[in-house]
Structure formats: C-alpha cells, structure tokens
Amino acid sequence: MHRCPECGKVAAEPKLRYCEQCGARMPEYKTPTAAQQVAEDERTEVGPVKPPYTGPKWLEHVPGHSPSVLGVILHLIALGLSILPSLAGLGPFWSFVMLMGGVLVVARELRATGEAHPLISWIPASFHPPYVPAVYTALAVAFVLPLLELSPLPLLWMGGTALLVRDQWDKVFAGPEGYAQLFDPRALTRGPRLLALVGVGVCVLALFFTWMPPPRMPVSYLGPPSYGPLRGQNVPRPTTDVVYGGLGQVALGGYSLPVAPTVEVALLGLLVLLMLRPEVDRPEWLRFVPAGVTVIALTWALVNLRLEVGPIAFLVGVVPLGIVAVFQALGREEFIPPLPEDRYESEEASEGGDEASEQSWPVDSADDITARDEDLPG
C-alpha cells in the first residue's frame, strides 16, 4: 500500500511521485512480496483496534479485566484443593453449586465487558440476572467459616471472596436499586431478634469445638509376667500414609461432619431473613421459615449428639432460636410486655379523652341558673 508520509492518504496509483492531497513527495514504491501482501490484506480486513488497557497491572491478563472473574478463579482453585481428604471442603452439593454459580458470574462479567469466550458465550443473559452474583457473593462469605484451617485453602477462598465483595458491592448491592437497600442490620439488635443473633452466634461458634472424639482402641495382654514379655493384641498399627491413613484417629469438629455447611448457611440465612425491612413485600409462608431452620438445626444436632462441648453448646444456642421461631410463626414481632411508664401514659391519655368528652357538653349560662333559682319556692 503506497501511503503519503505527511497526511497518510493512500495513493490511487502506486507510481505517483507526489501526494494528490497535500503535494508532499511520495516515497519510492517497491513491489511487495506475496507474504507482505497477505499480511497487509489481513490488517485491512481486521475491524477497529481495541484501545490499549490502562487499568491495574494485576488485572491485565484476567478475562474481562474483572476482579470478580479473578475471585471466581481463586474459588475454583480452592474447590479443586478441597478434593484432598486432608483439607477442608464444602461437600459435593455445595461444591457443585459454587461451581455453577461461578460460571454464571464469569459469563455475566464477560458479557458486560463485551468479550466472548467459547466456553461460556452460549449462556443466555436470562441465566445470570443481577441476583446471581449477589447470592454467589453471599454464599462465598458464608463458606469462609467452614474452610478455616491451617492450609493455603482458606487464603485462596478469602482472597477470592474479598475481590468479589469489592467488585460486586457497587454493581448489585449499593445504590438505590441495590439489594442492600432491602435489609437493615440494626434490626438484629432490637426486640426478640437480638435473641436470634445471640443464638446463631453460639451455634456457629459451637461448630468449631470438638463434636466427635478420637476412637480409643482397647489393648489386652496375654499371660502373667512369668511367661515372659507381654504381647499386645488389638494394638493400633502406625499408619504409613500420612494423607489417607489415620483420619479416623483424630477428633472431629462440627464443620467436619456431614451436612454442616448446609446447617451453617441456614442459620446465617435466618439472620438475613430477620434483617428484611418491614416495607419489603414478602409471602405469608415466609414467617414459618425460622421454625423450619430451627427444626433442621435441632435434628442435625441430635443425630450427632455426643457428650462433648460442641453439641451441648449448639443445643444451648438453638433454645433462643426456638423462641424467636415460635413468635415469628404466630405473626408477633414483639413479645415483651409494655413498660409501666408506657401503661401510665396510655391511662392518662384515656383519662384526658374522658375529660374532653365531658367538656363537649354545653354549659348552662348564668341567666339560666338565675332563672332556675327564681322558679324555686321560697
């Protein structure tokens, strides 16, 4: 392509010596080779060039340059590590839920930035509405507690969760149309809801304590000392595999038991439900959800009941939850009787109303009173 070096206009004839537009001298034309012609054609066929990336350096190679995509990638790495038996995990169900939720969040982020990826570009927009990243972020925050241990896994999970919260807060939570406007955290400090906050706190804390002690294998000996050295029977053999062996020889906490992540999510979801503002529309059956959560938590605790600190503390935390669940099912937000001063104020208000009603009758004038006195005999 014969182009003017001054104005950049492409010459109509490659053999022109002067530019037709500005009159500048054109460079000497050389016949391009076949490879140069193919490269030139490819450059001319390509659409508009994207502007260079000017964002943070650590997001330069992330798809969509989105912190949420990077957070989902860290979550997927943590879920991959949780396959190892020696590390904590969420179980098959919640791992699948977080995997599918992460795919939908990535598809939403790439669609918002205009990038297409063959693995997720086929997902329609109706499959990832705004509440999908909100729910995924909330679950990521809830699952920080079950994954706490001395390993790289919680660091990956907490790092990905922090990126998600930072990026999604302004997108789906904050603002007049955000989901954060539907909830009031201060509601948990008023009335019976404070009992629910204390009960859930005790239950979640109890899951960190021991629920199942290590098994104790009996050791028996044969023969009196006169028969020579003692021989042990049923002695546990030392394990040679540090990853898969000896897992049953350690104490288990509440989060290591089956269905523990589900119970924890249900308890935290109960607090989220109690934070709903009164003006938010909700179905009638929603007031029975606290009772259902309490029954599920109580049943799970009784199935795994041991004479250990964890189960006993968990049952203590379920008691205030049951009280709140009963009054929520009855449709009563408050169960505290009115204070004495409130009762006195109400009584004074009622007395004031009686006086006002008495004053509403017409008062006889002085002339009427005098006339009545004159009519009296003597």
Side-chain angles (χ1 to χ4, degrees), residues 8 10 21 31 46 80 85 125 149 152 156 185 188 211 227 240 264 266 282 310 312 315 318 339-340 358:
V10 179
Q21 183 173 351
T31 304
V46 175
E149 62 176 9
L156 293 171
L188 296 177
W211 281 61
Y227 291 120
T240 56
E264 191 242 359
R282 68 198 75 185
I312 296 176
L315 291 177
V318 172
L339 297 177
E358 293 176 358

Side-chain angles (χ1 to χ4, degrees), residues 62-76:
V62 177
H65 310 297
S66 172
S68 296
V69 176
L70 181 59
V72 172
I73 292 175
L74 294 179
H75 284 172
L76 295 181

Side-chain angles (χ1 to χ4, degrees), residues 279-351:
E279 60 270 17
V280 178
D281 294 334
R282 68 198 75 185
E284 183 65 21
W285 56 264
L286 203 61
R287 60 191 179 96
F288 298 102
V289 171
V293 172
T294 304
V295 171
I296 292 174
L298 180 61
T299 304
W300 180 79
L302 294 178
V303 170
N304 299 281
L305 184 61
R306 303 287 190 283
L307 291 179
E308 298 291 337
V309 178
I312 296 176
F314 191 91
L315 291 177
V316 172
V318 172
V319 173
L321 293 182
I323 298 175
V324 175
V326 169
F327 282 90
Q328 287 285 326
L330 295 177
R332 297 177 57 184
E333 293 291 335
E334 303 291 340
F335 60 89
I336 301 177
L339 297 177
E341 54 267 19
D342 298 338
R343 188 180 62 213
Y344 296 152
E345 291 178 359
S346 61
E347 293 177 356
E348 292 176 359
S350 61
E351 293 176 359

Side-chain angles (χ1 to χ4, degrees), residues 120-139:
I120 57 178
S121 59
W122 57 271
I123 301 177
S126 59
F127 277 48
H128 44 75
Y131 64 81
V132 168
V135 174
Y136 182 86
T137 304
L139 288 176

Side-chain angles (χ1 to χ4, degrees), residues 74-346:
L74 294 179
H75 284 172
L76 295 181
I77 296 175
L79 291 177
L81 292 177
S82 65
I83 298 176
L84 298 176
S86 59
L87 298 180
L90 302 178
F93 174 75
W94 287 112
S95 298
F96 177 77
V97 170
M98 297 304 291
L99 176 62
M100 293 295 100
V103 172
L104 295 179
V105 170
V106 172
R108 176 181 172 85
E109 292 296 316
L110 295 185
R111 187 181 296 273
T113 57
E115 294 190 12
H117 196 279
L119 294 179
I120 57 178
S121 59
W122 57 271
I123 301 177
S126 59
F127 277 48
H128 44 75
Y131 64 81
V132 168
V135 174
Y136 182 86
T137 304
L139 288 176
V141 174
F143 287 140
V144 169
L145 295 178
L147 298 179
L148 285 179
E149 62 176 9
L150 295 177
S151 70
L153 190 146
L155 299 179
L156 293 171
W157 192 269
M158 287 189 292
T161 303
L163 291 174
L164 273 167
V165 173
R166 172 191 173 186
D167 188 41
Q168 296 296 328
W169 181 259
D170 295 331
K171 294 180 179 179
V172 297
F173 288 100
E177 300 296 331
Y179 291 102
Q181 305 299 323
L182 305 177
F183 303 94
D184 182 17
R186 294 175 299 179
L188 296 177
T189 61
R190 297 191 293 264
R193 299 168 190 253
L194 182 60
L195 288 179
L197 178 62
V198 174
V200 171
V202 172
C203 291
V204 171
L205 184 62
L207 293 175
F208 287 98
F209 290 99
T210 301
W211 281 61
M212 185 175 296
R216 299 179 178 87
M217 299 187 66
V219 179
S220 59
Y221 298 95
L222 295 178
S226 59
Y227 291 120
L230 299 177
R231 294 177 300 169
Q233 290 184 347
N234 300 329
V235 180
R237 295 178 299 174
T239 58
T240 56
D241 192 340
V242 295
V243 177
Y244 295 97
L247 292 178
Q249 307 298 324
V250 296
L252 297 180
Y255 284 114
S256 300
L257 300 176
V259 198
T262 303
V263 174
E264 191 242 359
V265 169
L267 292 174
L268 296 181
L270 174 59
L271 294 183
V272 174
L273 178 62
L274 295 178
M275 286 191 297
L276 272 176
R277 294 183 181 273
E279 60 270 17
V280 178
D281 294 334
R282 68 198 75 185
E284 183 65 21
W285 56 264
L286 203 61
R287 60 191 179 96
F288 298 102
V289 171
V293 172
T294 304
V295 171
I296 292 174
L298 180 61
T299 304
W300 180 79
L302 294 178
V303 170
N304 299 281
L305 184 61
R306 303 287 190 283
L307 291 179
E308 298 291 337
V309 178
I312 296 176
F314 191 91
L315 291 177
V316 172
V318 172
V319 173
L321 293 182
I323 298 175
V324 175
V326 169
F327 282 90
Q328 287 285 326
L330 295 177
R332 297 177 57 184
E333 293 291 335
E334 303 291 340
F335 60 89
I336 301 177
L339 297 177
E341 54 267 19
D342 298 338
R343 188 180 62 213
Y344 296 152
E345 291 178 359
S346 61

